Amino acid sequence: MRRFMKLSRKTLGLLIIVMMLLLSGGPGWARTLTVSQPNQQIYQEANFASTPLGAVPQGAKVNLIRQEGEWYKVDYQGTIGWLHRQAVPEAAPAKMDLSKMLFGGPVKETGSDEVALAGKGFTPEVEAGFRQKNPGLAYAQVDKVETFGVDQAQLQKFVSEGGLNP
Amino acid sequence: MRATSFGPTALLLMACLLWGCSGVSLDLPSSVQPAAQIAAKTGAKAIHASRPISDSEEYYVGRAVGARILAKYPLYQDQEVTRYVNKVGLTVARKSSRPNPYRGYHFAVLDTPEPNAFACPGGTILITRGLLKNCATEDELAAVLAHEVAHIANKDGIKSISQARWTEVATTLGTETAKQYGGSAGQMVTLFEGSIDDVFKTIVVNGYSRSAEESADREAVSILRKAGYNPGALAAVLTKMSGKEGAGGIYRTHPPTSERLAKVQSLAPASSASSEKEAVRTARFQQLKI
């Protein structure tokens, strides 16, 4: 019985450590990202269609709270919202290194989990390979079309003059 | 006694499982590793097979499709017309179910008399001078652009990438080769090329499915209403196009069948200018040099 009590205390201690680790959110998430692209916004939800909460200037540092697919939940100067990965395309996937604390060994990536695949697939590098194989395609024209746009003030004037809904 | 010796192991396993759900990689003891690796691989394959195409991947597919179309048709160089089409396009796009795609919407005019319009996945919409001339009013142009925006919002172009090809993309990503080359190995370029073929065939050659067309029509009418345009303008455009199903271009990719027209008419029948403001819009449309 005494031995049972002793082991139970050990078990309880381990349980407390595990629970603390789980509740802490993990040490690996205390991470800062630097926005490297211009004209980026923080959104209320992980969706471009949701309400923009404000602009994040190029070079700004944001605190990463968590990641869901291509979106990062971030804290930027007290504004908490979602930033798309396009703002920080070079950021490595977030990883947590709990193994050293539990087992003392190095982390081994599986190499096939979805986090490791973020930013893979049809990427700018694949586009470059495709363009090399198909030099006759009009990518310069596509780049030109992507510069076409209308600023908000012009659009509002157009909408207003046409009796359209704002 | 049994409980005490089993407790720590069970707790550790439970912790590993919980951390695993949060996307954490753990270095498990060697005795556990083989089983864990098999489980991880099996789980990863299931994820890959069902992985949806991301917004950025859709954007790169759209750029490639646009580059093919623009290799065939030159851009119309009139800046005033291009700016106007972008104003109408953005007015309807912001009322769609997908107002902010990855790099936004962009509209351009192709310098060809052939009436046609193309919704490149990701947000670039190309309309020909021939189709612009077919429109009599700004509201009719808005109807055409709202229909194309709806195809982008519904991801109709990108959905035409064959399931088998997309599964192969996922499988290739899981291989060591793709990992080493960051997913840019020759195999991935080949799969990208095939995907462009799939989308190009749908939006330029064969056309969308009947259900995709009907859904885009429904969304277009809804967009027109929300934006303040005359929702009957879509029926007006389709009426002009009807009876030419056998012709090429837009008549093949967006067949204006009587059945389709009837459905659109039931949603919002064509009507003449319903307001003073509609007349103002028509006047600014007619000032354009198309």
Side-chain angles (χ1 to χ4, degrees):
Chain A
M1 186 62 187
R2 216 171 143 185
R3 193 178 169 196
F4 176 83
M5 290 294 288
K6 197 176 170 185
L7 285 172
S8 289
R9 275 199 296 275
K10 199 171 161 185
T11 306
L12 189 66
L14 190 54
L15 178 66
I16 289 167
I17 291 168
V18 167
M19 292 308 287
M20 281 172 70
L21 284 168
L22 290 172
L23 292 171
S24 72
W29 293 108
R31 192 173 161 215
T32 303
L33 300 175
T34 304
V35 174
S36 65
Q37 304 299 310
N39 306 320
Q40 300 302 317
Q41 297 270 349
I42 291 183
Y43 292 87
Q44 197 165 22
E45 291 164 28
N47 183 339
F48 283 114
S50 73
T51 310
L53 300 177
V56 190
Q58 194 173 12
K61 292 191 186 309
V62 297
N63 293 321
L64 176 64
I65 298 169
R66 65 189 164 95
Q67 182 180 357
E68 272 187 23
E70 294 199 331
W71 290 86
Y72 297 114
K73 188 165 193 181
V74 299
D75 179 345
Y76 173 60
Q77 296 180 342
T79 302
I80 294 175
W82 292 89
L83 183 69
H84 191 264
R85 193 166 56 81
Q86 70 185 23
V88 279
E90 60 289 325
K95 287 281 179 191
M96 282 184 268
D97 189 358
L98 186 65
S99 63
K100 284 179 186 167
M101 300 169 71
L102 288 177
F103 302 109
V107 173
K108 286 183 185 174
E109 293 183 22
T110 63
S112 55
D113 67 281
E114 195 167 20
V115 177
L117 289 174
K120 304 279 176 73
F122 295 163
T123 59
E125 293 75 26
V126 172
E127 181 184 283
F130 175 74
R131 289 174 72 161
Q132 208 170 11
K133 276 179 82 178
N134 300 276
L137 297 181
Y139 266 99
Q141 300 294 81
V142 173
D143 292 338
K144 188 177 176 185
V145 170
E146 287 184 7
T147 66
F148 295 165
V150 184
D151 68 44
Q152 281 301 315
Q154 281 183 324
L155 193 60
Q156 278 172 13
K157 187 167 177 274
F158 181 81
V159 164
S160 167
E161 285 173 354
L164 299 164
N165 297 331
Chain B
M1 184 67 186
R2 188 178 293 166
T4 54
S5 60
F6 195 69
T9 313
L11 281 169
L12 277 173
L13 284 172
M14 189 177 77
C16 293
L17 282 169
L18 284 167
W19 277 105
C21 291
S22 309
V24 179
S25 300
L26 289 177
D27 196 343
L28 298 169
S30 56
S31 58
V32 187
Q33 274 189 12
Q37 281 168 0
I38 290 167
K41 280 178 186 170
T42 309
K45 275 182 185 170
I47 289 166
H48 296 164
S50 59
R51 185 178 79 99
I53 193 159
S54 69
D55 287 352
S56 62
E57 287 174 309
E58 182 188 356
Y59 164 76
Y60 288 111
V61 169
R63 274 173 60 81
V65 171
R68 266 200 187 174
I69 296 170
L70 286 162
K72 187 179 174 189
Y73 301 108
L75 281 175
Y76 186 43
Q77 298 296 334
D78 189 312
Q79 289 187 6
E80 197 186 335
V81 172
T82 303
R83 201 176 301 120
Y84 175 82
V85 170
N86 272 276
K87 284 177 182 173
V88 177
L90 291 170
T91 300
V92 293
R94 70 205 174 101
K95 299 293 181 183
S96 75
S97 60
R98 194 183 181 196
N100 294 301
Y102 180 57
R103 293 280 169 95
Y105 285 97
H106 305 281
F107 300 82
V109 181
L110 303 177
D111 196 356
T112 170
E114 180 189 315
N116 217 336
F118 308 104
C120 303
T124 290
I125 290 173
L126 306 169
I127 180 169
T128 66
R129 280 177 77 190
L131 188 51
L132 271 180
K133 280 184 178 170
N134 227 32
C135 299
T137 65
E138 179 177 312
D139 290 48
E140 288 184 15
L141 171 62
V144 170
L145 296 180
H147 178 92
E148 298 305 319
V149 164
H151 278 311
I152 288 176
N154 296 341
K155 301 194 175 188
D156 291 328
I158 210 75
K159 280 178 194 164
S160 56
I161 296 176
S162 84
Q163 184 61 45
R165 199 184 310 283
W166 189 243
T167 303
E168 203 180 333
V169 170
T171 312
T172 304
L173 278 177
T175 65
E176 287 300 308
T177 313
K179 197 175 71 173
Q180 280 173 8
Y181 292 93
S184 63
Q187 174 68 3
M188 193 55 72
V189 173
T190 305
L191 289 166
F192 183 71
E193 226 166 7
S195 302
I196 306 311
D197 284 342
D198 290 342
V199 177
F200 190 83
K201 269 183 211 157
T202 296
I203 75 170
V204 181
V205 184
N206 299 330
Y208 301 97
S209 68
R210 185 182 294 182
S211 65
E213 282 297 276
E214 288 175 4
S215 173
D217 284 342
R218 274 195 305 276
E219 169 135 8
V221 169
S222 161
I223 289 171
L224 291 172
R225 277 208 175 93
K226 285 181 194 165
Y229 280 114
N230 179 353
L234 182 60
V237 176
L238 287 176
T239 304
K240 280 186 210 170
M241 290 166 59
S242 64
K244 296 181 184 173
E245 291 90 328
I250 199 164
Y251 305 109
R252 187 170 59 222
T253 55
H254 297 69
T257 59
S258 52
E259 189 187 350
R260 183 181 162 202
L261 177 58
K263 284 188 177 171
V264 172
Q265 286 275 21
S266 71
L267 290 169
S271 61
S272 54
S274 58
S275 69
E276 195 183 311
K277 285 293 185 184
E278 188 172 343
V280 170
R281 297 195 294 269
T282 299
R284 68 185 178 186
F285 174 81
Q286 288 171 344
Q287 281 174 359
L288 292 175
K289 291 173 187 165
I290 302 167

